[in-house]
Amino acid sequence: MNRENETLWTLKSEYVHRLAKQGLRVDNRDAFEYRDIEVTPGYVTRSPGSALVKLGNTTVLAGISMDVGTPFQDTPNEGVIMTGAELVPLASPTFESGPPSEDAIELARVVDRGIRESKAIDLEKLVIEEGEKVWMVFIDLHILDYDGNLFDASALAAMAALMHTNVPKYEDEKVIRTESSMKMPLRRVPVETTFAKIGDTLLLDPVLDEEKAADVRLTIATTDDGYICASQKGGSGALTVEEIEMIIDKSFEKGDFLRGILKDNMKG
Amino acid sequence: MNRENETLWTLKSEYVHRLAKQGLRVDNRDAFEYRDIEVTPGYVTRSPGSALVKLGNTTVLAGISMDVGTPFQDTPNEGVIMTGAELVPLASPTFESGPPSEDAIELARVVDRGIRESKAIDLEKLVIEEGEKVWMVFIDLHILDYDGNLFDASALAAMAALMHTNVPKYEDEKVIRTESSMKMPLRRVPVETTFAKIGDTLLLDPVLDEEKAADVRLTIATTDDGYICASQKGGSGALTVEEIEMIIDKSFEKGDFLRGILKDNMKG
Amino acid sequence: MNRENETLWTLKSEYVHRLAKQGLRVDNRDAFEYRDIEVTPGYVTRSPGSALVKLGNTTVLAGISMDVGTPFQDTPNEGVIMTGAELVPLASPTFESGPPSEDAIELARVVDRGIRESKAIDLEKLVIEEGEKVWMVFIDLHILDYDGNLFDASALAAMAALMHTNVPKYEDEKVIRTESSMKMPLRRVPVETTFAKIGDTLLLDPVLDEEKAADVRLTIATTDDGYICASQKGGSGALTVEEIEMIIDKSFEKGDFLRGILKDNMKG
Amino acid sequence: MGGKSEVPLLDKNGKRIDGRDLEELRPVKMEVGVLKKADGSAYVEWGGNKVIAAVYGPREVLPKHLANPYKAVLKYRYNMAPFSVDDRKRPGPDRRSIEISKISREALERVVMLEYFPNTMIDVFVEILQADAGTRCAALTAASLALADAGIPMRDVVAACAAGKIDGKVVLDLKKEEDNYGEADMPIAISPRTGEIVLFQMDGLMTKDEYMKALRLAVEGARKINEIQKETLKDKYKITNLSGGDNNE
Amino acid sequence: MGGKSEVPLLDKNGKRIDGRDLEELRPVKMEVGVLKKADGSAYVEWGGNKVIAAVYGPREVLPKHLANPYKAVLKYRYNMAPFSVDDRKRPGPDRRSIEISKISREALERVVMLEYFPNTMIDVFVEILQADAGTRCAALTAASLALADAGIPMRDVVAACAAGKIDGKVVLDLKKEEDNYGEADMPIAISPRTGEIVLFQMDGLMTKDEYMKALRLAVEGARKINEIQKETLKDKYKITNLSGGDNNE
Amino acid sequence: MGGKSEVPLLDKNGKRIDGRDLEELRPVKMEVGVLKKADGSAYVEWGGNKVIAAVYGPREVLPKHLANPYKAVLKYRYNMAPFSVDDRKRPGPDRRSIEISKISREALERVVMLEYFPNTMIDVFVEILQADAGTRCAALTAASLALADAGIPMRDVVAACAAGKIDGKVVLDLKKEEDNYGEADMPIAISPRTGEIVLFQMDGLMTKDEYMKALRLAVEGARKINEIQKETLKDKYKITNLSGGDNNE
């Protein structure tokens, strides 16, 4: 699929490895330092909630759509979350049109799990009529520029969008999109932090060149009240138990950093 | 996709251009003359409405299917129109099996717009129970032989079929297909006329060889009460404002000619 | 599609033909002898009904799923049967992932017809509320190892599964899968017998090598009360009327043999 | 085969709902060379069925990896127009049409001289414009004519017909209501020169006697259909040697 | 074009619901080089529309058999983000976006010098992030800028605009409510140097006079859009020769 | 992970609903060489899970453009039979099975000596015949056995196991009800020789202490699974050097 020159990538990969051995990175960051992060909530003014996140050059737009539907049979008293991701070909020469790739599916599912498993959304407050009518929360991730670490950027965009989402009114069997009945009911603030292992070196927030050179990737989602709520290893490399433990510690620390950015954004 | 010989087409195209420059056509027609038109309404005797149209060698069969469904939320007091076109591979060596091509989609949508935008069908009369149950009018265009100008042939076939359509009875929650409750309620008679520009020459009703040689195509839908209700440019060429104005005039004139054929057919 | 060596297959085919001429088979069976048959009903203990059938090396797992749905409009007082077959790529180097192949579709439809046309299932007993709610019986055939004659193995597995199926309880608009309301209501026991013609020789139950060498295949479904309920010819060869008559006679005889196996299984 | 015998399909004189005798075919009309762009084509009207067939080829095989160095690849596409049946059929192949296409292709593979055209593809497309039971037989009958019209060499012109069982009687050539409410249907096709069966299906409930009677009746029906095919090709080409039939231009 | 005139779209002073005059454009903002990975890119905000376009290429043609030895293959993909409209749009192309992609590609084929890059492919991708009527015009306008930003040689920079009819009046540049409840819409695109029409559609009901008035109005609108395009490219490159515009790095 | 603690998952003695202790595996049975047509195969029964795996290859890569001149392409297809779960699963890949296939493939890429077979493809197919939580672990465990059975050289035999949290306790190897109503699940796989983690996921809510405890417990579980794998292969081949295991014929 990758149409770029194979040899070029091999050279780049060797360069990234050489740097990593010396504790260095292609953009001179520290090992556990995030790139610059910009969060623009409410970017899509006409949608009930949205946020544009720039993590260095990686750009993700998360948009929330609200609709009324029937709950799942086994959770009649809960609203429904659906998360999708489109790696639109605009964002990278390696993304293609067509049905979602396995990468897009994994991304959507890992972002979804961070939100779902942490019970970030109070789904019981999204019930209109038990067993019959509930709010469906669609979280759509639109990747606009791909320079590595879609997981953290997407999870951050999704959470920022949810924090700025207004639930529309529902009256006389109709959704009134111009009026709001409440803020999206949130209970926790999960964020995701992704680490790459290059040789024996662990790095936070890999850029694309690092991501491609890495053997393995680990994403950890943490909550503001001290829980881990999701994890996902990617890539054909391996991790030791000790590495995972070290990553968990860093993940809580960096998670609080990301939550700080979200918090600042809520005020601003 | 085109499996025919590229060189052959280049030669044919040059020939068509040479003729056009002299005001001539491959089949000796005048620039704004239609090929012979045959309309056979009621061709599919078992369907509520249908018509076979032969425009020279181009052959299109339009069939109407009627079913009961729920109206769209924003038009609770209107029936529903759905138009589809199948460029079945029987009709041309260049048509392929599979999901509708962009050509088939464009054709269906342009025919649909002619009918929909002119409000040819009185959709309010197709309501059985407001907001709950309305008639769905499926207009299906089946292309049987493709020798150019599918737009005009298809629009004509669709309109002829609608003019001969009987709306079935609906009793006790069931469609009784063997009985008719009314004629399809029609208010206007839109038809479409298509022009090709070859070099600087404008032609009506291009045959396949002309269509392929043409730089640009313009389809204009007009109504019997003096309105233009749809237009569509196709092809990578361009048109001037003056050319469009000239085409509009011709389009009304030729539209009346086509409506004359439909009218004759209603009597016969 | 077949990735195996073409030359090898030609040689095998010639060998099979040579044997057939002498009345012999690759596995030393008689012409109208089945391979060893093992039926394991209830293989998938958590499903309402299932059976694993081994016909020589050919292995088919049939599983029944029960759900509540709306009946078809024209049969408001009947439950619904749906039969599917997956030729999963695990079972053969020639099976591929993706939508069902024409072979999988033919297999599912021929097994379905044997059951449907014989009225083996008393569909009226599967009505919960006439016109509104009926049991849907999904018969899914999962092919695990493909060594020829999927038709007989699949039909046998489907019937064995149905004979061991418990219809769940339905109370308060819910399916209670842990409780049974009745055994699957059965009226007849259809089985299918498949014959291959190699040169002029007719054989029962072809193995894969015979199936590939064969010119034509004929499957006959018979019932325990002396009816033929389905037939299907496959392959580009031809059959005479006399051959068909001879196959019918054998089919009843072998059908009783297969029904004997099913019966033994019901006791055991 | 619903077998709901509430609807009587035979009157007290043993006549069928359209007045036919038990062993009588519906009216059949055939025409070849009906399409301009196809290499060969045919139209068949058979009772309430209206069917049109086109043949393209031998031509380049697409996708290329399907090419066979020993013979032509034959493709067959049976397709119903959305308006051909009462309940609109959604465009595109469904399971039924995929199965019919498969068995029809296998029937034609018996007679088409594919070995004459290695590394090519011959496409047969059939469109059901109006359906009244027996469409697969009408389609295959039309396809054979279209192949002859395209000048494709064939060992024989395949002809098809169905027999079935209604109100307990074996009858020829079921129409829609008979198919819906009858007890069995058996569509077949033959290679008329040898009398061999090249397409064969049956569903419903029949004893062996009924089954063999239906089979023989269907073969006879197919022979009658073949006579009409031959007349049609003769009228068109004024020759009797069918497989030498020339192109339609 | 619902034409349900219950909703008044013009006030007693002839002003539109957003306070515009009949022949007034909505506010338009443009920016080029907004994406890092694309060879060229542009962002266009036009009333409530937010649109981003990217260009990749000339690059290898995939699948290979689509390659043309005489010119580059141009592809155009118009795509709406699920949250860009009130009722969530399911991801993936629908019939509407396939049609828009086709006519937009045809418009650009008129100006892009495809003959310079045989056997290659030039991909134009446009994402509608927020929709407020006129998205196809905004998309094509952004696509032209992205092509220029990618340094693809063009005869001209295509500019688009729509005119339409609301409450019986011909107006420029419909917004969403005007499109929903108005009487006609006519999106067009021009090659500004020649004034030729390269994209042209119309739906709704118009007399010939209204139609020609709308056409001329839309052409004028597109010319204004083109001025903004030129300013945007000038600001970025500090040069006036657009087709000689260099890459965005 | 519903976390609906209305359903008690531990009794007053701390026993689980199936009588197990907190750190106890469900009964596990393994068998290799269970299929005739596959190059390697294995069957794993693990609690209520029934899983069958097959390996084909190294063989020709299809489609060809996916071939890699430096190593074999590994494919992994996790598929659930429609009847394997209470609510019938529609045939074909869904998002969940695509994700599981991806991470399972990545786990195996760590150990399979792909570099020995450039320009080929190794296909691993796993069918879930009955599901009772932990299917991805059972599937990967079976897949490793099938690879060994096919004689594919491997650095190690991957073994998988899950740990989780129910009623506030960290436990090994959740069954279905525990997965549905428990608080967290952590499926992992290891390369037993090095103890490295090659598959790793977690969802639910856990403190760091619980998390690390679960991780260590799951690793221990996977080691026990690996012992059974080794016994199974030894029984079959009467040899201890697994990667030298011969074909199943």
Side-chain angles (χ1 to χ4, degrees), chain D residues 134-189:
Chain D
T135 55
R136 74 195 69 187
C137 291
L140 186 53
T141 298
S144 299
L145 288 175
L147 281 162
D149 184 46
I152 308 284
M154 293 191 288
R155 289 179 192 83
D156 206 348
V157 173
V158 164
C161 192
K165 185 176 155 194
I166 58 171
D167 287 4
K169 300 280 184 195
V170 172
V171 300
L172 188 65
D173 188 21
L174 306 189
K175 78 186 296 327
K176 199 176 144 207
E177 293 75 9
E178 295 173 333
D179 188 32
N180 287 352
Y181 302 109
E183 290 138 65
D185 186 28
M186 182 193 279
I188 70 139

Side-chain angles (χ1 to χ4, degrees), chain C residues 1 75 78 83-84 102-103 105-106 108-110 113 117-119 188 217-218 220 223 226-241 244-245 248-249 252, chain D residues 1-4 65-66 68 70 95-96 98-99 101-103 105-107 109-110 165 183 195-208 210-212 215-216 219:
Chain C
M1 296 302 148
T75 52
E78 291 187 7
T83 307
E102 63 175 27
D103 289 332
I105 288 169
E106 188 187 27
R109 287 176 62 83
V110 171
R113 283 204 288 269
E117 299 297 336
S118 67
K119 301 174 188 14
R188 281 199 180 88
R217 186 200 75 221
L218 184 61
I220 304 288
T223 70
Y227 286 105
I228 303 148
C229 57
S231 309
Q232 180 92 345
K233 181 221 149 195
S236 54
L239 290 158
T240 65
V241 173
I244 292 174
E245 181 154 26
I248 292 297
D249 289 333
F252 275 111
Chain D
M1 295 296 105
K4 280 168 229 51
H65 71 268
L66 295 182
N68 184 323
Y70 301 105
R95 287 159 45 110
R96 176 178 168 275
I98 289 170
E99 184 194 358
S101 297
K102 176 182 187 290
I103 59 169
R105 183 191 72 227
E106 289 172 342
E109 281 172 348
R110 180 69 177 180
K165 185 176 155 194
E183 290 138 65
E196 289 175 324
I197 315 289
V198 294
L199 178 142
F200 187 59
Q201 292 187 296
M202 179 266 175
D203 62 82
L205 285 171
M206 277 182 167
T207 63
K208 187 198 157 188
E210 290 166 343
Y211 189 92
M212 291 310 299
L215 174 52
R216 292 196 173 93
V219 170

Side-chain angles (χ1 to χ4, degrees), chain A residues 61-65 82-85 138-142, chain E residues 82-83 88 91:
Chain A
L61 177 55
I64 310 296
S65 302
M82 314 270 270
T83 308
F138 294 91
I139 304 169
D140 283 292
L141 302 165
H142 223 67
Chain E
F83 43 76
R88 178 175 181 270

Side-chain angles (χ1 to χ4, degrees), chain A residues 1 6 74-75 78 83-85 102-103 105-106 108-110 113 117-119 188 197 217-218 220 223 226-242 244-245 248-249 252, chain F residues 1-4 65-66 68 70 87 94-99 101-103 105-107 109-110 136 165 183 186 195-208 210-212 215-216 219:
Chain A
M1 295 303 147
E6 190 97 15
D74 50 347
T75 52
E78 292 188 7
T83 308
E102 61 174 29
D103 289 332
I105 287 169
E106 186 187 29
R109 287 176 63 82
V110 171
R113 284 204 287 269
E117 299 295 337
S118 68
K119 301 174 185 18
R188 283 201 180 87
K197 185 172 157 192
R217 185 200 75 222
L218 184 61
I220 304 289
T223 70
Y227 286 104
I228 303 147
C229 58
S231 309
Q232 179 93 345
K233 181 222 149 197
S236 53
L239 290 159
T240 65
V241 172
E242 294 67 37
I244 292 174
E245 181 153 25
I248 292 297
D249 289 333
F252 275 111
Chain F
M1 295 293 104
K4 280 170 230 52
H65 72 267
L66 295 182
N68 184 323
Y70 301 106
D87 288 318
D94 55 9
R95 285 159 46 110
R96 175 178 169 277
S97 64
I98 289 170
E99 185 194 357
S101 296
K102 176 183 188 287
I103 60 169
R105 183 190 73 227
E106 289 172 342
E109 281 171 348
R110 180 68 177 181
R136 75 194 68 186
K165 186 177 155 193
E183 290 137 65
M186 181 193 280
E196 289 174 325
I197 316 289
V198 293
L199 178 142
F200 186 59
Q201 291 187 297
M202 179 267 176
D203 62 83
L205 284 171
M206 278 182 168
T207 63
K208 187 200 159 187
E210 290 165 344
Y211 189 92
M212 291 311 299
L215 173 53
R216 292 195 173 94
V219 169

